Amino acid sequence: MSTENLSQSPEQPPRKPRVAVVFGGRSSEHGISVVTAGAVLKAIDRTKYDVLPIGITQDGRWALTADEPERMAITERRTPNVAELAESREGGVVLPVDPGNREVVYSEPGSVPKALGEVDVVFPVLHGPYGEDGTLQGLLELSGVPYVGSGVLASAVGQDKDYMKRVFTSFGLKVGPYVVIRPREWQQDESAARKKIVDFAGEHGWPLFVKPARAGSSIGITKVDDLSGLDEAIAEAQRHDPKILVEAALRGREIECGVLEFEDGPRASVPSEIPSPETHAYYDFEAKYIDSTPGIVPAPLTPEETADVQKLAVDAFEAASCEGLVRADFFLTDDGFVINEINTMPGMTPISMYPQMWQAAGISYPELVDLLVQAALRRSTGLR
């Protein structure tokens, strides 16, 4: 054997793809995003991927955070936040804006910036504005970094319930009655805007649901039983979004269905049913996350109903040009299924329905995370 061969260093193993899990954010859903991130960090295969947790504080700072999923859970009826997990109160993480450079940099005031290495894919588990609405997706497109989930357009459509419903109706999907109050309407003539809602109630009856047009996790929603509660409900919705949506109550069963993108296209999960919570007026934030009202998986539907809602969920995914994953929410009424909304980055906490539905379909949580990361790695960035 030659001396040259003896001196060669052993072959280095190939570098594992690096996944940046980005979570938190400036929206009212900050805490649920942190809980979702904890579940993803716990489930992701560390033998297959290197992981970099990056939290966005409620004031918008990108922070390097501890990789400690056990600290990212709801405790004593309280959701966690990024500030508690950040390794520094002042340090910040900077993503590259040059598509030819995926090097992430960490810096603190008075210190030399530190390179954290390249990122191959971002898993953004932010919910609500400044994360799920196309803004973060646009930044990642500019940076040339692949990411899990829908692109800019689908994310924006999925966040704005007004335009979401317009897209659905243009593709022939049935939606419930609703009316929108835009900020300028309210600013120019409150009385006329209020009358618009009262006239809507006169046509469709009470109760009504008043909600922020661009929020999720049932935050800012009020069930209004009569005129006396309307002004307070409007004010609560406007605390989260100046644009509000008012929906007629639909009589029917709440059915959810997940959609996941495979190499051969999107497929629907086993559907679930959300029973009416015993101690809440409807399936609000506390019923979902604090009191953990359990869903029924699989939903007790006929084979025909199951096939119908699965088709409609995929149709909604395609109508909004979604990618990666979606949870589609429906009401099963006497006239069939009515789509309520989609979530382009649904909650993926340990009790969330999206992972439960896929588990019932035979895909475990770690397998689900892997499929999502692999789908993102297959896609190239650019116009989506």
Side-chain angles (χ1 to χ4, degrees):
M1 184 177 291
S2 69
T3 305
E4 182 182 352
N5 288 336
L6 285 171
S7 63
Q8 287 179 347
S9 59
E11 187 175 321
Q12 294 295 317
R15 184 177 73 85
K16 292 185 289 187
R18 199 144 194 247
V19 180
V21 179
V22 180
F23 59 96
R26 294 164 55 190
S27 83
S28 54
E29 297 175 78
H30 177 101
I32 292 304
S33 173
V34 178
V35 177
T36 292
V40 171
L41 289 170
K42 187 175 181 180
I44 195 166
D45 186 349
R46 303 304 179 106
T47 67
K48 191 171 182 178
Y49 304 106
D50 284 329
V51 180
L52 178 66
I54 300 174
I56 302 176
T57 64
Q58 289 173 304
D59 60 4
R61 178 173 63 90
W62 290 52
L64 187 64
T65 65
D67 187 3
E68 299 176 2
E70 64 278 1
R71 293 176 56 194
M72 304 166 76
I74 295 173
T75 55
E76 298 179 352
R77 304 180 68 84
R78 177 180 172 275
T79 57
N81 65 75
V82 169
E84 298 170 340
L85 301 164
E87 295 192 354
S88 167
R89 293 185 177 183
E90 297 180 334
V93 173
V94 179
L95 284 181
V97 292
D98 177 0
N101 172 26
R102 295 182 180 176
E103 188 86 25
V104 176
V105 175
Y106 175 75
S107 63
E108 292 190 46
S111 300
V112 176
K114 175 185 177 183
L116 299 178
E118 291 190 352
V119 166
D120 296 289
V121 62
V122 170
F123 199 137
V125 292
L126 295 101
H127 305 307
Y130 311 110
E132 192 182 352
D133 59 353
T135 50
L136 177 63
Q137 289 73 17
L139 172 63
L140 295 172
E141 294 283 353
L142 288 171
S143 302
V145 181
Y147 55 93
V148 171
S150 291
V152 175
L153 174 63
S155 297
V157 168
Q159 186 63 33
D160 190 313
K161 295 176 177 63
D162 172 20
Y163 286 97
M164 182 198 305
K165 291 175 186 291
R166 291 171 183 264
V167 167
F168 289 158
T169 55
S170 72
F171 277 81
L173 294 165
K174 189 187 301 183
V175 304
Y178 72 99
V179 65
V180 177
I181 304 296
R182 291 172 172 78
R184 190 174 293 112
E185 289 182 79
W186 190 258
Q187 292 162 4
Q188 291 179 346
D189 193 336
E190 285 188 20
S191 297
R194 191 180 291 105
K195 183 177 184 301
K196 184 177 175 180
I197 299 173
V198 173
D199 290 346
F200 177 78
E203 180 180 358
H204 297 286
W206 302 92
L208 302 176
F209 286 90
V210 180
K211 59 180 65 175
R214 296 163 291 195
S217 296
S218 299
I219 292 172
I221 298 178
T222 305
K223 181 182 179 183
V224 183
D225 293 316
D226 54 46
L227 187 61
S228 65
L230 183 59
D231 284 354
E232 185 177 346
I234 292 171
E236 172 60 18
Q238 288 176 333
R239 282 200 318 113
H240 302 277
D241 187 353
K243 179 180 180 181
I244 66 171
L245 193 81
V246 181
E247 295 176 335
L250 292 176
R251 272 70 179 181
R253 296 160 60 189
E254 289 192 56
I255 306 294
E256 298 183 346
C257 190
V259 180
L260 181 63
E261 185 178 7
F262 293 82
E263 288 192 63
D264 60 351
R267 302 180 207 166
S269 71
V270 170
S272 65
E273 180 169 1
I274 307 301
S276 298
E278 296 180 359
T279 58
H280 298 263
Y282 62 98
Y283 194 47
D284 60 10
F285 178 86
E286 290 213 348
K288 281 182 181 179
Y289 296 111
I290 305 301
D291 295 329
S292 304
T293 301
I296 303 170
V297 187
L301 300 171
T302 67
E304 294 76 18
E305 290 169 338
T306 296
D308 192 13
V309 75
Q310 288 175 325
K311 179 183 182 301
L312 289 171
V314 173
D315 287 348
F317 182 96
E318 298 284 33
S321 299
C322 296
E323 295 170 279
L325 71 165
V326 148
R327 193 194 72 232
D329 301 345
F330 298 86
F331 286 97
L332 177 53
T333 70
D334 292 340
D335 296 322
F337 286 102
V338 176
I339 189 164
N340 186 38
E341 65 181 49
I342 58 171
N343 282 267
T344 55
M345 185 53 69
M348 292 178 64
T349 71
I351 61 168
S352 294
M353 297 312 302
Y354 186 82
Q356 288 190 50
M357 288 187 287
W358 280 109
Q359 184 170 346
I363 297 176
S364 69
Y365 198 123
E367 290 172 323
L368 178 61
V369 170
D370 184 58
L371 285 168
L372 290 169
V373 173
Q374 288 298 316
L377 287 169
R378 284 195 302 270
R379 288 195 298 265
S380 61
T381 57
L383 191 60
R384 299 171 67 179

